[in-house]
Structures are given as C-alpha cells and as structure tokens.
C-alpha cells in the first residue's frame, strides 16, 4: 500500500529527501557484490549438467593467437564423457597431480604446507594446487599469481566441491586441461599425439599425457624427452600404488 505524502500544517507537501550520492553508489556496489557472488553459483550449477563448449583458457589462447597474428592457429577440443576415456588417463592425472583427490574437499592442506616449506628453503618453486583448483582455474579464470585470481579460484573450487560430485570434477578437468599448444582435453590429445580415440589410450600413453601437464607447451607426449620419460615412469608407479583403475571406484 502506497504511503501518503507528508504535509505541512498549511497542507503543502513536505519535499521527500533524495538518497545522497554516496548512498546511491553504496547501494549499487552492494548489488554488484551480490551479483558477483551469485553469478559463479549459477555458472557452476549449470555446468554440473551441461558440458562446457569451451573454457576460459581456450578463449584466452584463441584471443592471443588473433592478436599475435597467428593466422594458422587452431584450437583442438572435443568433449568425451568420463566413461568414453580410458580409465588409465584419469588415474594417471590423479597420480601425477593430486593423489589425495578422493579425500580432500578442494584444498590439500598437507600439500600446501609441504610446498610452503620447500619454497622457503630456496628450492625450485613448487605448487600445491589440487585437481579441483586447476579445473576451476582452467574453466573459469586466467593464469598468473594475483591475489584476486587466487581468491576467485578458491571460491569456484568451494562451489564445485559443494555442487559437483568428484567424478564430475575429474571429468571436466581431463576435458579442459591443456595437453599441448592449443590441444585441450583427452580426446584432442589422444588424436593429436597418438592418432587414436581417448578410449583406446594405454597406460604408458596416459602417463606421458599426464607428465606434460605442468608445462604442456614446453613438453611433448608424442616426442618425449628425458624429463617426460622419467616423469611418466614415476606416474605409472604412483598409479599402481594408489590402486590403479580401482581408485576411480572410491570417488563419489
């Protein structure tokens, strides 16, 4: 019900005070904050059921190619459901990147502490990002080490761990991870590097693909140098130690 206008004793209307400039902008900022908080929830909830047609990293790489005049650059990306990908690949990725994937809720605190202690000792910089964090970054964000990006990564990671089952996080990650310059996801990687479908990969090929993930534009799975060969062997040993393909049965 509309409130009656206030009036002076002589019957004239009392002028209504307008919100101050500062208050109007504060209100707008509050609405912007609500929007920025809700939008990621809608994105993550939608992509639990909809397979992403592309990722943020793909869009950024394509834009870089256009700006840089790389006229012959093409992105390679084909979605495959997890049950269409050889089990050895997601197991290899877990063995290489995040052996506590089934246990943590997005952040591996033990790995973070180990990385902090290692980096403080002056050794080669080591990260502690989980598969969930990497999936969030690749799908929604951009590279770099800014606090803004890390904060958004943490928020998206929490949302994904809350709204998605572990199998969906793993499925999305192996489909959007970069396995070579412009080569994204298991199917494109299997085709580009080994000339076969992702469902036909063997354990050795899967380990080599997982081995290049730290620097997919620097290393090659199809023409592995000494580093990739050593890392692939290490990944295969770790994959056996965590239970091999039966590890996937522990995911929910």
């Amino acid at each position: 019900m509309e409130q009656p206008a206030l009036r002076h004793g002589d019957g004239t209307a009392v002028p209504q005070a307008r919100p101050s400039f500062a208050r109007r902008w504060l209100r707008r900022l509050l609405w912007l904050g609500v929007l920025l908080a809700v939008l990621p929830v809608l994105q993550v909830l939608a992509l639990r059921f909809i397979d992403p047609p592309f990722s943020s990293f793909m869009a950024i790489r394509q834009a870089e190619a256009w700006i840089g005049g790389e006229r012959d650059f093409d992105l390679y990306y084909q979605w495959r459901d997890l049950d269409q990908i050889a089990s050895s690949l997601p197991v290899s990725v877990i063995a290489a990147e995040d052996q506590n994937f089934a246990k943590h809720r997005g952040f591996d605190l033990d790995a973070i502490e180990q990385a902090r202690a290692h980096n403080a000792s002056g050794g080669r910089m080591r990260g502690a990002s989980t598969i969930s964090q990497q999936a969030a970054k690749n799908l929604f964000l951009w590279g770099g080490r800014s606090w803004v990006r890390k904060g958004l990564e943490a928020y998206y990671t929490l949302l994904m761990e809350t709204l998605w089952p572990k199998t969906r996080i793993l499925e999305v990650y192996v489909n959007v991870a970069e396995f070579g310059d412009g080569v994204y996801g298991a199917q494109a990687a299997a085709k580009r590097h080994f000339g076969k479908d992702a469902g036909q990969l063997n354990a050795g090929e899967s380990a080599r693909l997982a081995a290049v993930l730290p620097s997919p534009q620097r290393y090659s799975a199809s023409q592995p140098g000494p580093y990739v060969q050593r890392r692939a062997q290490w990944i295969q040993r770790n994959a056996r130690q965590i239970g091999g393909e039966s590890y996937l049965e522990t995911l929910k």
Side-chain angles (χ1 to χ4, degrees), residues 162-212:
T162 302
L163 299 175
W164 293 3
K166 286 284 189 177
T167 50
R168 180 58 172 173
I169 295 173
L170 184 60
E171 180 178 56
V172 169
Y173 181 62
V174 297
N175 271 285
V176 302
E178 186 179 15
F179 291 96
D181 189 16
V183 180
Y184 295 89
Q187 177 65 9
K191 283 286 190 181
R192 186 68 177 269
H193 291 293
F194 304 114
K196 58 175 65 175
D197 286 328
Q200 300 172 325
L201 291 168
N202 60 41
E205 292 163 343
S206 295
R208 283 155 62 184
L209 286 174
V212 306

Side-chain angles (χ1 to χ4, degrees), residues 14 29 39 42 46-47 49 52 66 93 119 136 165 172 183 246:
V14 176
L29 290 174
L39 181 59
L42 298 178
L47 291 178
F49 307 102
W66 286 337
V93 169
N119 296 337
V172 169
V183 180
S246 63

Side-chain angles (χ1 to χ4, degrees), residues 5-249:
L6 298 177
R7 295 184 178 277
H8 294 292
D10 59 2
T12 58
V14 176
Q16 297 295 310
R18 298 184 61 186
S20 68
F21 177 82
R23 184 174 296 179
R24 290 199 304 273
W25 271 103
L26 179 59
R27 186 179 299 169
R28 291 171 184 171
L29 290 174
L30 289 174
W31 276 111
L32 178 61
V34 171
L35 177 63
L36 291 177
V38 171
L39 181 59
V41 177
L42 298 178
Q43 287 178 298
V44 172
L45 188 59
L47 291 178
R48 173 175 178 172
F49 307 102
I50 301 171
D51 299 332
F54 63 92
S55 71
S56 175
F57 269 38
M58 295 178 205
I60 291 170
R61 181 65 187 95
Q62 184 65 75
E64 289 175 345
W66 286 337
I67 295 171
E70 300 177 57
R71 301 181 184 277
D72 58 347
F73 177 81
D74 289 312
L75 284 177
Y76 296 90
Y77 170 63
Q78 290 179 290
W79 178 271
R80 285 293 184 274
D81 292 341
L82 196 59
D83 60 7
Q84 296 176 309
I85 299 171
S87 298
S88 57
L89 181 59
V91 170
S92 293
V93 169
I94 291 169
E97 304 277 291
D98 187 1
Q99 295 174 39
N100 292 321
F101 178 64
K103 301 176 183 178
H104 65 64
R105 300 305 301 169
F107 307 94
D108 189 337
L109 300 183
D110 290 338
I112 291 172
E113 177 57 29
Q114 291 172 10
R116 186 202 64 77
H118 172 83
N119 296 337
S121 69
R124 182 179 179 182
M125 291 294 290
R126 178 189 298 174
S129 293
T130 63
I131 285 175
S132 304
Q133 290 174 272
Q134 293 179 60
K137 179 179 69 175
N138 279 261
L139 189 56
F140 298 111
L141 304 171
W142 62 93
R145 296 180 178 274
S146 71
W147 287 107
V148 172
R149 205 271 295 160
K150 292 298 290 184
L152 288 171
E153 177 188 301
Y155 184 44
Y156 274 108
T157 298
L158 288 171
L159 290 176
M160 289 166 59
E161 284 280 347
T162 302
L163 299 175
W164 293 3
K166 286 284 189 177
T167 50
R168 180 58 172 173
I169 295 173
L170 184 60
E171 180 178 56
V172 169
Y173 181 62
V174 297
N175 271 285
V176 302
E178 186 179 15
F179 291 96
D181 189 16
V183 180
Y184 295 89
Q187 177 65 9
K191 283 286 190 181
R192 186 68 177 269
H193 291 293
F194 304 114
K196 58 175 65 175
D197 286 328
Q200 300 172 325
L201 291 168
N202 60 41
E205 292 163 343
S206 295
R208 283 155 62 184
L209 286 174
V212 306
L213 284 177
S215 301
Q217 296 187 28
R218 178 179 179 184
Y219 301 113
S220 172
S222 54
Q223 297 179 323
Y227 167 79
V228 172
Q229 294 179 35
R230 289 194 304 270
R231 183 166 168 80
Q233 292 171 359
W234 175 80
I235 289 170
Q236 286 188 275
R237 289 196 299 271
N238 279 356
R240 290 192 293 268
Q241 289 174 0
I242 66 175
E245 296 179 12
S246 63
Y247 181 93
L248 298 180
E249 299 174 5

